[in-house]
Amino acid sequence: MNIDIPLWFADQSIHVFPYRPDDNKPYGNCKYCSPTLRGTNTPNPDYVLHDPRKCLCIANGGRCHGLHAATTNPNTIRKWHKETPDANWGANCGRSNIVAIDLDAHGHEPPQDGVFIRGETIDPTGINDGLDVFAALCELRGRCLPWIEHNTLTVLTKSGGLQAWFRVPNGYEWRGGDSVRAGFGWQADFKAGDQSVTLPGTVVPKGTYRALGDSRTIAPLPRWLRTELERLGRWVDPNPRPRYVAPPETPKDLSRYTATALERELADLASTRPGALHEAILVCSYNIGQLAGAGLISQDDAHQAITAAAAQAGVSPDERKAQGTIRDGLNAGMRSPRQIGELV
């Protein structure tokens, strides 16, 4: 591959690494980074156990561990190209903050269960590959093909398939997935995180990867696609809300309505982020105070439960300001008790 191609991508903040000339797979590791002897399952006596992300070979400009070595450093890229001038090149999705729709055209038999898109029913007539499946998904959602609507870099693959690239704020918030189980659908995959995509210009025995059209811009991931990927479980919340655990002192002899309402309020409080805790404690205390005002829970039990939930959010039970806020909220809520009609 012409070195100008990986250098151009690196200049666009895309982290690249070399593939072997005959395919789109990375080179093997050095003897210190290979758990087994090359081409065998025999343990390698020279192997040194280590985290690939902290490999000293990579720190010194080596290319061990494939995509983990990916870089935007032009000097390193030139060094690798000099060592292996016939190499093809790929990009690390997560480190580059990109994701890709990966549509295959392998000519395989359609799924025997007739499911082409998880959770959806489509007419199988004319569905021959991943491009057809994704087009059907777009039709279901009332959207155009995103690589046309948003004019993003799109690569035709060796099999006649397609990869459409999109930028995301944090590439490691996403995880790739294949086919119906974890991708968009049958032969309609998703590349992200610790996965790679192949640069246009790559030539392998089965074909060539080439850019489709004139666009060389990588567009932001469209909102509807983000929603679709969240539905498919491909987005990983980097700051998940902590699971609320009811403390032992939470009253147990409550009606179903009261217990449900109480747990909802306490769970919201327990998962509140720092910086919003004062308001959250006040709102929670007021809402639970309304339950206490209606005689559905005692004020003491309510106070203890709110204190325990606030502790799960990081507020000390001994913090005087927080305790005062709980009292104020409870008292205000009790002055406006929940009405019986609101309990239905």
Side-chain angles (χ1 to χ4, degrees):
M1 180 186 291
N2 188 320
I3 191 176
D4 290 341
I5 296 176
L7 285 173
W8 183 87
F9 276 94
D11 193 51
Q12 312 305 309
S13 301
I14 302 299
H15 290 68
V16 299
F17 65 101
Y19 286 155
R20 295 183 307 221
D22 57 341
D23 59 20
N24 54 354
K25 304 296 182 184
Y27 285 90
N29 297 337
C30 73
K31 66 178 183 178
Y32 301 111
C33 296
S34 301
T36 59
L37 296 177
R38 184 166 298 177
T40 73
N41 292 322
T42 305
N44 175 12
D46 295 318
Y47 173 62
V48 178
L49 181 64
H50 60 282
D51 183 346
R53 294 173 178 81
K54 300 177 181 178
C55 177
L56 293 178
C57 296
I58 297 175
N60 290 311
R63 62 189 182 204
C64 291
H65 306 291
L67 63 82
H68 295 299
T71 184
T72 57
N73 186 319
N75 293 328
T76 301
I77 294 170
R78 291 189 180 96
K79 171 180 176 291
W80 288 342
H81 180 72
K82 185 176 181 179
E83 294 170 350
T84 53
D86 295 331
N88 291 313
W89 291 77
N92 179 320
C93 291
R95 193 174 296 174
S96 303
N97 295 325
I98 59 172
V99 298
I101 302 168
D102 182 26
L103 308 179
D104 297 325
H106 293 316
H108 295 166
E109 289 295 319
Q112 293 184 352
D113 59 8
V115 178
F116 290 87
I117 300 173
R118 185 176 9 140
E120 301 287 355
T121 301
I122 64 173
D123 182 356
T125 305
I127 302 294
N128 299 307
D129 52 33
L131 287 85
D132 294 331
V133 168
F134 195 83
L137 175 64
C138 290
E139 185 175 354
L140 285 170
R141 301 293 181 257
R143 309 297 307 201
C144 296
L145 296 172
W147 53 91
I148 295 176
E149 182 179 8
H150 297 279
N151 195 32
T152 195
L153 175 68
T154 305
V155 179
L156 296 178
T157 68
K158 61 184 179 182
S159 68
L162 175 150
Q163 289 183 343
W165 298 23
F166 294 96
R167 291 195 186 273
V168 291
N170 183 344
Y172 287 109
E173 290 182 4
W174 301 89
R175 55 184 177 183
D178 298 336
S179 198
V180 176
R181 183 181 61 84
F184 290 107
W186 177 65
Q187 293 198 36
D189 307 331
F190 177 63
K191 298 291 186 183
D194 279 334
Q195 292 183 324
S196 64
V197 287
T198 302
L199 301 193
T202 291
V203 180
V204 296
K206 292 184 178 180
T208 301
Y209 289 77
R210 54 190 178 86
L212 176 65
D214 297 327
S215 177
R216 299 297 179 265
T217 301
I218 304 175
L221 182 69
R223 180 169 296 182
W224 79 269
L225 264 182
R226 179 187 176 98
T227 300
E228 190 69 25
L229 289 162
E230 289 175 356
R231 179 184 75 84
L232 296 170
R234 298 299 92 198
W235 180 67
V236 182
D237 188 347
N239 299 298
R241 289 166 59 111
R243 181 177 177 271
Y244 169 68
V245 179
E249 60 270 21
T250 301
K252 302 296 189 295
D253 55 341
L254 302 173
S255 69
R256 180 179 298 178
Y257 169 85
T258 306
T260 300
L262 182 67
E263 182 174 351
R264 183 175 61 245
E265 296 293 345
L266 296 176
D268 285 345
L269 173 57
S271 60
T272 300
R273 305 278 178 234
L277 281 167
H278 175 77
E279 181 179 358
I281 291 172
L282 186 61
V283 170
C284 176
S285 300
Y286 177 84
N287 291 339
I288 294 178
Q290 289 187 305
L291 300 177
L296 301 175
I297 183 175
S298 75
Q299 184 173 4
D300 287 343
D301 284 344
H303 194 118
Q304 291 179 22
I306 297 168
T307 298
Q312 290 187 34
V315 179
S316 170
D318 299 324
E319 185 179 313
R320 296 175 65 179
K321 180 179 178 180
Q323 289 298 307
T325 301
I326 294 173
R327 285 192 296 271
D328 291 344
L330 283 172
N331 290 331
M334 292 177 67
R335 290 194 293 270
S336 181
R338 192 73 56 89
Q339 300 301 309
I340 298 300
E342 296 177 272
L343 306 185
V344 180

